[in-house]
Amino acid sequence: EVRLVESGGGLVQPGGSLRLSCAASGLIFDNYAMTWVRQPPGKGPEWVADINSDGRILRYADSVKGRFVIARDNAKSTLYLQMNSLKSEDTAVYSCALGYNLGVPNSRGQGTQVIVSS
């Protein structure tokens, strides 16, 4: 059974930073591209960033480009999202999923809440 577990969310002030992690199990992690998706309160899911299986091809949504960095450690079967210069509009539940863009249907983890507020 494939399992994706996100962690690292929390409350942070505007301009602050957080690092999210996504621990994967039940799959050969380095066979899969991975993606981060967020869902702001009252809105639908938004693609944030994705990374190919070997970590060399990275893509970002325009809204986070230059502020967020996606990375992976295939030896640890873990995906990361370093979020810097956070803004209130980054407030959302952040989830990881297999694949690109919004990810493979039903592969998304439970998510971790990020609240950016003073």
Side-chain angles (χ1 to χ4, degrees):
E1 177 191 2
V2 174
R3 191 161 182 242
L4 301 176
V5 179
E6 301 89 344
S7 61
L11 173 64
V12 62
Q13 292 188 340
S17 298
L18 281 175
R19 188 195 196 203
L20 306 184
S21 298
C22 167
S25 60
L27 77 167
I28 301 174
F29 184 69
D30 51 3
N31 281 356
Y32 292 88
M34 296 293 296
T35 188
W36 283 102
V37 176
R38 68 185 182 186
Q39 186 153 10
K43 297 184 179 180
E46 299 176 353
W47 170 67
V48 175
D50 55 36
I51 185 169
N52 76 326
S53 58
D54 66 10
R56 288 189 285 183
I57 301 174
L58 318 177
R59 300 192 309 151
Y60 297 93
D62 287 344
S63 59
V64 307
K65 202 173 290 184
R67 299 187 299 121
F68 290 11
V69 178
I70 188 171
R72 64 191 297 159
D73 185 337
N74 285 346
K76 295 182 179 179
S77 297
T78 302
L79 176 73
Y80 301 101
L81 186 69
Q82 177 67 43
M83 306 189 297
N84 302 319
S85 303
L86 283 161
K87 306 175 182 180
S88 58
E89 51 262 45
D90 295 318
T91 293
V93 174
Y94 285 73
S95 303
C96 59
L98 304 181
Y100 295 100
N101 299 313
L102 293 179
V104 173
N106 300 319
S107 74
R108 214 177 295 170
Q110 294 280 67
T112 186
Q113 176 81 57
V114 172
I115 299 173
V116 184
S117 175
S118 54

